[in-house]
Amino acid sequence: MCLIDEAEPGSGSSGAPLVLINPATGRRAKMVHDAKQSVDTVVDLLMRVQNYAGETKIFEHNGVLRPALDKDLAKDFKRSPNKYDWPDKSWVNWLDKDEFSSKYSYFGRHCGGLEVKHGYTVNTSLYIQYLKEYLISRGLTSQFNTNV
């Protein structure tokens, strides 16, 4: 297998989606398709690359916060925990405005928010660096800075 990129991996838009692993996406905090398998698959790859990287921390399982910045978002976010068939009730939790403010006082104006427990934050530049090295160590041929 060969990977060809006209720049370095992650130097364009390929790095942006890696910052957060969030199974409650979009305006309605919709559950991603096959959420459990999707998250498990991403975490499996993150763990393999993390093991390759050794002590260097490339990601963190710290959840994702989705503040509802207006009443329409709040209405949609509030429905998400019950609207979708989440793997279990711990995946997504709605907090009303007072609860969210009490727990996350550093957020400014909001109308409540979602806690997405199965969310991850990825150090994108380190992840891409170690992913590239990991894949090369597994036999990937690569050519970067070329459009051949």
Side-chain angles (χ1 to χ4, degrees):
M1 181 183 312
C2 182
L3 174 65
I4 299 172
D5 196 322
E6 64 183 27
E8 285 294 314
S11 61
S13 63
S14 63
L18 288 173
V19 174
L20 293 177
I21 308 303
N22 174 18
T25 65
R27 177 169 179 76
R28 290 180 172 72
K30 182 179 179 183
M31 182 182 77
V32 298
H33 176 72
D34 204 356
K36 181 162 179 19
Q37 183 177 351
S38 296
V39 170
D40 288 350
T41 300
V42 171
V43 171
D44 177 66
L45 180 58
L46 286 168
M47 288 300 300
R48 285 187 278 144
V49 175
Q50 179 64 67
N51 290 336
Y52 178 83
E55 303 264 336
T56 304
K57 191 172 186 176
I58 62 168
F59 77 99
E60 187 173 351
H61 180 193
N62 55 357
V64 172
L65 295 177
R66 302 275 323 262
L69 301 179
D70 61 41
K71 289 180 182 180
D72 289 334
L73 278 177
K75 187 172 137 183
D76 288 333
F77 284 11
K78 186 175 183 176
R79 285 186 253 184
S80 182
N82 298 315
K83 184 175 183 179
Y84 304 107
D85 190 22
W86 294 99
D88 66 57
K89 295 295 180 191
S90 72
W91 276 59
V92 178
N93 182 40
W94 167 255
L95 300 173
D96 68 25
K97 184 176 182 173
D98 291 337
E99 290 174 300
F100 198 83
S101 290
S102 174
K103 200 165 182 181
Y104 306 107
S105 59
Y106 46 85
F107 276 100
R109 191 179 59 93
H110 62 80
C111 299
L114 280 178
E115 295 174 313
V116 183
K117 302 289 185 173
H118 290 272
Y120 297 78
T121 304
V122 179
N123 182 325
T124 306
S125 60
L126 285 176
Y127 173 69
I128 290 174
Q129 171 194 330
Y130 284 108
L131 175 62
K132 179 175 82 171
E133 292 174 18
Y134 170 73
L135 293 173
I136 289 169
S137 79
R138 307 277 302 179
L140 174 74
T141 303
S142 61
Q143 293 182 18
F144 301 113
N145 300 309
T146 184
N147 60 6
V148 174

